[in-house]
Amino acid sequence: MTTAELAAARAEIAQACRVAAARGLVDGILGHISARIDEDRLLIRCRSDSDDGVAFTRPDDIRLIRFDGTPGATGELDGYRVPNELPIHVETLLAHPEHRAVAHLHPPAVVAADLAGITIEPIYGAFDIPGAWLARHGVPVYPKAVLIRTAELGKEMVAAMGDRPVVICRGHGITSAAATVPQAVLQAISLDQLAAMSLRIRAAGGTLTPIDESDWADLPDLGPSFTADAAWRHEIARVETG
């Protein structure tokens, strides 16, 4: 990867961190997003003594490190600290080579819904087609409300995640993995919307019922230009003009 490509990747991850904060998926200094660079290095949001929080992430806050937590190049960790939960990113990327990006976030609605015993299901369709498909085959839960700071705990979380792109970490947050940084965050937004809608329906005295099986045929993938690409442009515009 060239210097220019590395700089662009840092900027994209920093932007994604600000989007996550603007969407209420993180608060304060908690949460981090990463992207694999090669076989043993990744870019990840790190912390410094001047850290103002995830909502104010700068490209300089995105540091190149090795999977073992050491600097990925000279000076990369000067003045910066690797997240305690680096194993979330490393173990997810190692277990699923198809994923190039990982977002570990703390969306309150998802945490609340899970603690309330609500199973995230596709309760709506065209309201958010990617979100409906995300939930169609279930959203797994890692049952330990712990800081995932060891490889062993990271492997446990990945095992709970199985072949799904997202996992709820009970009493903690979520992990979302995808081929791109924007997709990892967009999945988290969709999961948060599903959880928030589920809580609203329950609060109104309603029952959570998955959409009818026959509806799936008319919930097509409309292509990235209409879904992921357009959605990400919107998220960036919200942050830049908000």
Side-chain angles (χ1 to χ4, degrees), residues 205-217:
T207 300
L208 300 174
T209 304
I211 61 174
D212 192 271
E213 189 65 26
S214 63
D215 290 344
W216 290 105

Side-chain angles (χ1 to χ4, degrees), residues 90-158:
V90 171
E91 298 304 328
T92 300
L93 294 173
L94 288 175
H96 299 284
E98 72 276 16
H99 296 319
R100 307 289 300 183
V102 177
H104 175 61
L105 309 169
H106 290 191
V110 179
V111 175
D114 177 61
L115 292 177
I118 295 173
T119 298
I120 303 298
E121 297 182 293
I123 54 176
Y124 49 61
F127 180 83
D128 176 12
I129 294 175
W133 281 100
L134 181 68
R136 186 180 187 187
H137 299 295
V139 178
V141 177
Y142 175 57
K144 291 185 178 180
V146 298
L147 199 67
I148 304 174
R149 57 182 179 174
T150 67
E152 179 182 4
L153 290 172
K155 287 181 171 65
E156 286 183 1
M157 186 210 72
V158 169

Side-chain angles (χ1 to χ4, degrees), residues 10 42-47 59-65 74-78 80-81:
R10 292 185 203 267
L42 70 159
L43 286 168
I44 189 167
R45 187 192 193 280
C46 293
R47 294 176 184 162
D60 281 350
D61 297 324
I62 313 304
R63 313 307 294 178
L64 181 65
I65 65 169
T74 302
E76 281 292 334
L77 288 180
D78 291 354
Y80 283 89
R81 299 181 298 279

Side-chain angles (χ1 to χ4, degrees), residues 125-135 183 186-187 190 194 220-221 227-228:
F127 180 83
D128 176 12
I129 294 175
W133 281 100
L134 181 68
Q183 188 59 39
L186 289 172
Q187 288 174 172
S190 286
L194 274 164
D221 180 351
T227 52

Side-chain angles (χ1 to χ4, degrees), residues 38-91:
D38 53 35
E39 291 306 307
D40 69 343
R41 296 186 301 171
L42 70 159
L43 286 168
I44 189 167
R45 187 192 193 280
C46 293
R47 294 176 184 162
S48 69
D49 291 338
S50 61
D51 195 337
D52 293 324
V54 181
F56 305 99
T57 301
R58 306 157 300 181
D60 281 350
D61 297 324
I62 313 304
R63 313 307 294 178
L64 181 65
I65 65 169
R66 299 190 182 281
F67 281 15
D68 63 4
T70 59
T74 302
E76 281 292 334
L77 288 180
D78 291 354
Y80 283 89
R81 299 181 298 279
V82 174
N84 286 323
E85 293 188 307
L86 177 63
I88 286 177
H89 302 263
V90 171
E91 298 304 328

